[in-house]
């Protein structure tokens, strides 16, 4: 039998040393070191002290979180990122300005809230980022996320990025997001006058909009077919189906918590048919005596008084700065000869503004007066572009924001004309952004793909953009998708919600960042499926 070879003492020692080196190498390879700029001072605010040095980061660089809208800038890092855990918390002062945002995030991810200090597994909300309005940074390292907003809205949008990143990829990737919107006004227009949408439907849209970082909902609640909000000053004009003031307060409270402004629209001097059902004497009539549907007799001060009563009544219910005054499709100005067709208005214009004044001037003065009422209540006025006319002896108030929807109505002009006058525009291009129920008058339901691939805030009319020098965020303030109930029975409210789903997401992307999107449309729609509830 062969005996085993003897192993020298020197060989044993050498083997032991080599083995130890391998073990050390393996241990080092398994440890993840923090980024060089991670906090190391145990006494720094919000930092939980840990013993010993941190190991170096290993593994591939992270990829930007997948969200709608996409984050604008991401500094990748190596590390495991952050994912929700049973011990994770959302850190913010519960009574401070970020307390509600912390509670919303905690509900979304099934976490707890706490006042701090932050530790591994937590998401911390702060204020103090020095970027523009609604901007934020989001740093993910050391097993936690710190969101720092330039303002409360910015911090809230950071929480939406966390939620969508978790839904799309299971985690928030290691690294730093720097994000901001390109346009300050981003949202949805909803016609509840012609087709009634109840409070639950509206609140569901608010939550959907919040996840998409949209910040405006304009409620068009007065038109020829109905007046849909409770009124104490003029209860006689309110339709049977309407929102109560308590329901409206709940809607605006929810919107405020989601950093969305609800804008009331009381359209005038056209689209007032619901008012004339109770006040037929205020309706405009042609020279022949035939009524002009929906149009107010703006020579009658009683018509102005009713609109001003409503503006004053509703101002406390809408906490945001804007009120929409309409101004579109006033039938007297859609006639080929307004003065000949409506001699009473022509006479009133001359009496009010001098011998050269026309019906256009009387209409301009009407909207100027309504804008003055809004300003007296601390608000700002919006009007449709065909309510702002060229020439005339009465100039349209320069402080009105113009919402551009069409260039085809009588008196409407090219977008560039308004911009050259120094007016600020909001884009509601009816070629891309009008969801008109029943598709009358050659309207077609908008598609998300068409908005995503062919529209930008600069495309105000048709498919051609205005020059880039006139299309910056200080000139074209943003845009909204608009739902109009022209043929109210054409779709159910559930069908409308499904129909606007992808157009709203495409709009969100292009208002947050008008540049060509990184994802092809097919991948964008797949992402939309992943990031929803």
């Amino acid at each position: 039998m062969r005996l085993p070879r003897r192993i020298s003492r020197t060989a044993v020692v050498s083997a032991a040393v080599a083995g130890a080196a391998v073990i050390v190498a393996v241990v080092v390879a398994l440890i993840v070191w923090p980024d060089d700029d991670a906090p190391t001072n145990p006494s720094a605010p919000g930092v939980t002290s840990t013993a010993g040095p941190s190991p170096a980061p290993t593994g591939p660089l992270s990829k930007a979180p997948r969200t709608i809208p996409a984050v604008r800038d991401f500094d990748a890092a190596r590390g495991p990122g952050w994912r929700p855990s049973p011990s994770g918390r959302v850190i913010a002062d519960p009574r401070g300005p970020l307390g509600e945002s912390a509670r919303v995030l905690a509900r979304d991810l099934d976490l707890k809230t706490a006042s701090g200090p932050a530790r591994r597994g937590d998401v911390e909300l702060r204020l103090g980022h020095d970027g523009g309005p609604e901007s934020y940074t989001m740093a993910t390292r050391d097993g936690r996320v710190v969101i720092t907003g330039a303002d409360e809205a910015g911090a809230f949008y950071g929480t939406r990025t966390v939620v969508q990143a978790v839904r799309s990829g299971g985690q928030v990737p290691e690294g730093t997001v720097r994000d901001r919107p390109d346009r300050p006004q981003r949202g949805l227009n909803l016609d509840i006058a012609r087709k009634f949408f109840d409070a639950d439907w509206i609140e569901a849209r608010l939550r959907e909009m919040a996840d998409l970082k949209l910040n405006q909902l304009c409620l068009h609640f007065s038109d020829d077919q109905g007046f849909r909000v409770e009124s104490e000053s003029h209860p006689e004009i309110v339709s049977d189906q309407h929102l109560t003031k308590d329901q409206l307060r709940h809607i605006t409270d929810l919107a405020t918590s989601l950093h969305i402004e609800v804008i009331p629209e009381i359209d005038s001097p056209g689209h007032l048919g619901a008012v004339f059902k109770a006040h037929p004497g205020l309706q405009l009539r042609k020279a022949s005596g035939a009524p002009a549907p929906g149009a107010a007799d703006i020579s009658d001060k009683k018509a102005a008084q009713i609109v001003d009563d409503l503006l004053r009544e509703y101002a406390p219910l809408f906490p945001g700065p804007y009120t929409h005054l309409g101004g579109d499709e006033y039938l007297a100005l859609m006639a080929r000869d307004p003065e000949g067709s409506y001699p009473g208005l022509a006479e009133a214009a001359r009496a009010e503004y001098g011998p050269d004044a026309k019906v256009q001037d009387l209409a301009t003065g009407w909207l100027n007066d309504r804008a003055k009422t809004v300003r007296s209540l601390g608000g700002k006025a919006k009007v449709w572009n065909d309510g702002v006319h060229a020439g005339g002896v009465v100039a349209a108030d320069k402080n009105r924001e113009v919402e551009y929807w069409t260039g085809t109505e009588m008196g409407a002009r090219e977008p560039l004309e308004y911009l050259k006058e120094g007016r600020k525009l909001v884009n509601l291009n009816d070629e891309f952004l009008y969801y008109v129920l029943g598709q009358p008058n050659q309207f077609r339901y908008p598609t998300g793909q068409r908005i995503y691939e062919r529209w930008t805030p600069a495309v105000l009319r048709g498919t051609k953009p205005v020059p880039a020098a006139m299309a910056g965020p200080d000139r074209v303030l943003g845009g909204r998708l608009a739902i109009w109930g022209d043929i109210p029975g054409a779709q159910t409210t559930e069908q409308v919600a499904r129909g606007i789903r992808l157009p709203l997401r495409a709009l969100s992307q292009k208002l947050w960042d008008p540049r060509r999107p990184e994802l092809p449309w097919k991948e964008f729609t797949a992402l939309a499926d992943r990031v929803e509830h």
Side-chain angles (χ1 to χ4, degrees):
M1 183 175 68
R2 296 185 63 181
L3 297 174
R5 189 174 55 139
R6 294 181 64 185
I7 301 175
S8 71
R9 186 174 183 179
T10 301
V12 171
V13 171
S14 299
V17 170
V22 171
I23 292 170
V24 169
V26 171
V27 170
V28 168
L30 291 174
I31 298 175
V32 179
W33 291 68
D35 296 335
D36 292 341
D37 59 349
T40 56
N41 178 8
S43 63
V47 176
T48 301
S49 176
T50 57
S54 297
T58 62
L61 286 172
S62 58
K63 294 182 180 179
R66 289 299 192 191
T67 61
I68 297 175
V71 300
R72 292 175 66 91
D73 186 62
F74 179 66
D75 294 335
R78 291 180 173 85
W82 177 91
R83 64 181 66 237
S85 68
S87 62
R89 305 171 301 166
V90 183
I91 304 300
D93 179 353
R95 292 178 294 277
L98 302 182
E100 182 59 26
S101 293
R103 288 185 285 273
V104 172
L105 178 59
R107 285 195 299 269
D108 287 340
L109 296 181
D110 197 21
L111 302 175
K112 297 180 176 63
T113 58
S115 57
R119 65 192 184 202
R120 289 185 69 86
D122 291 346
V123 178
E124 183 177 6
L125 307 187
R126 300 176 179 173
L127 290 174
H129 171 57
D130 60 359
E134 301 181 290
S135 66
Y136 67 94
T137 60
M138 185 178 77
T140 304
R141 57 178 177 262
D142 284 348
R144 66 189 180 108
V145 179
V146 178
I147 297 169
T148 307
D151 50 23
E152 295 171 38
F156 177 74
Y157 294 146
T159 71
R160 301 303 87 200
T161 297
V162 168
V163 170
Q164 288 202 24
V166 170
R167 289 175 181 165
S168 65
Q171 66 172 17
V172 180
E174 199 88 2
T176 302
V177 168
R178 294 178 178 84
D179 207 10
R180 61 175 178 81
D182 186 74
R183 306 288 156 151
Q185 297 188 36
R186 310 174 303 280
L188 178 67
N189 237 66
L190 179 61
D191 172 11
I192 67 171
R194 284 174 277 196
K195 182 176 182 66
F196 183 66
F197 293 81
D198 64 24
D200 289 343
W201 195 95
I202 295 170
E203 289 172 15
R205 300 290 76 71
L206 288 171
R207 294 186 179 93
E208 180 181 5
M209 291 169 61
D211 276 355
L212 298 171
K213 302 183 174 81
L214 299 173
N215 64 3
Q216 286 183 341
L217 172 67
C218 183
L219 283 183
H220 176 90
F221 59 80
S222 169
D223 212 303
D224 298 345
Q225 294 79 0
F227 192 96
R228 304 293 186 179
V229 173
E230 176 187 357
S231 173
E232 294 164 6
S233 65
H234 290 282
E236 73 281 2
I237 70 174
V238 179
S239 302
D240 291 339
Q241 272 192 316
H242 64 270
L243 298 174
T244 68
K245 286 189 174 181
D246 282 344
Q247 288 175 319
L248 189 58
R249 289 186 188 97
H250 194 276
I251 287 169
T252 57
D253 286 348
L254 174 62
T256 299
S257 75
L258 300 173
H259 298 277
I260 297 171
E261 177 191 357
V262 182
I263 302 170
E265 183 186 358
I266 303 176
D267 203 343
S268 77
H271 297 281
L272 284 172
V275 172
F276 302 144
K277 290 175 185 176
H279 299 276
L282 300 180
Q283 186 169 5
L284 179 64
R285 294 186 177 274
K286 300 178 182 179
S288 64
D297 180 356
I298 56 177
S299 67
D300 190 331
K301 301 299 183 183
K302 294 177 184 177
Q305 184 61 53
I306 287 180
V307 175
D308 283 349
D309 288 345
L310 296 168
L311 291 172
R312 293 188 179 97
E313 179 180 3
Y314 293 127
L317 293 175
F318 294 91
Y322 287 111
T323 295
H324 205 308
L325 298 175
D328 62 309
E329 297 181 320
Y330 184 49
L331 290 183
L333 295 179
M334 297 173 73
R336 294 190 179 277
D337 179 12
E339 286 69 38
S341 299
Y342 299 95
L345 294 185
E347 182 180 350
R350 291 189 293 271
E352 184 79 16
Y353 298 112
D356 296 327
K358 298 182 177 181
V359 173
Q360 169 188 309
D361 298 298
L362 197 64
T364 298
W366 167 283
L367 284 175
N368 283 351
D369 289 343
R370 306 293 76 74
K372 189 181 299 182
T373 299
V374 169
R375 283 199 305 275
S376 73
L377 299 167
K380 300 178 182 179
K382 289 177 172 287
V383 295
W384 297 112
N385 67 285
D386 51 327
V388 179
H389 310 285
V393 299
V394 179
D397 185 344
K398 284 286 187 182
N399 293 317
R400 299 188 211 163
E401 279 186 14
V402 176
E403 309 233 291
Y404 197 97
W405 73 282
T406 184
T408 60
E409 295 291 343
M410 189 76 70
R413 299 175 283 147
E414 290 283 349
L416 204 54
E417 291 188 44
Y418 298 87
L419 291 166
K420 286 180 178 178
E421 292 172 3
R423 297 189 181 277
K424 297 180 186 298
L425 302 188
V426 177
N427 191 326
L428 286 95
N429 183 341
D430 62 352
E431 172 88 9
F432 286 89
L433 305 178
Y434 260 38
Y435 194 97
V436 184
L437 297 188
Q439 304 184 108
N441 303 321
Q442 300 182 324
F443 283 111
R444 293 294 177 264
Y445 293 128
T447 69
Q449 183 172 3
R450 194 160 181 261
I451 296 169
Y452 190 75
E453 294 177 346
R454 299 185 59 189
W455 180 85
T456 73
V459 181
L460 285 149
R461 178 186 178 186
T463 60
K464 184 179 178 181
V466 297
M470 304 290 278
D474 59 330
R475 307 299 305 278
V476 181
L477 303 176
R480 295 196 303 277
L481 184 74
I483 301 168
W484 296 107
D486 289 41
I487 304 176
Q491 289 190 340
T492 66
T493 57
E494 292 79 10
Q495 287 173 320
V496 174
R498 290 195 296 271
I500 67 169
R501 175 180 168 268
L502 288 175
L504 201 61
R505 280 146 184 78
L507 179 80
S508 161
Q509 175 60 47
K510 301 302 285 288
L511 289 172
W512 195 264
D513 188 348
R515 296 173 297 182
R516 184 180 182 86
E518 177 186 346
L519 293 181
W521 174 247
K522 187 175 181 179
E523 292 183 30
F524 182 83
T525 58
L527 176 61
D529 292 338
R530 295 200 304 273
V531 301
E532 291 177 5
H533 293 290

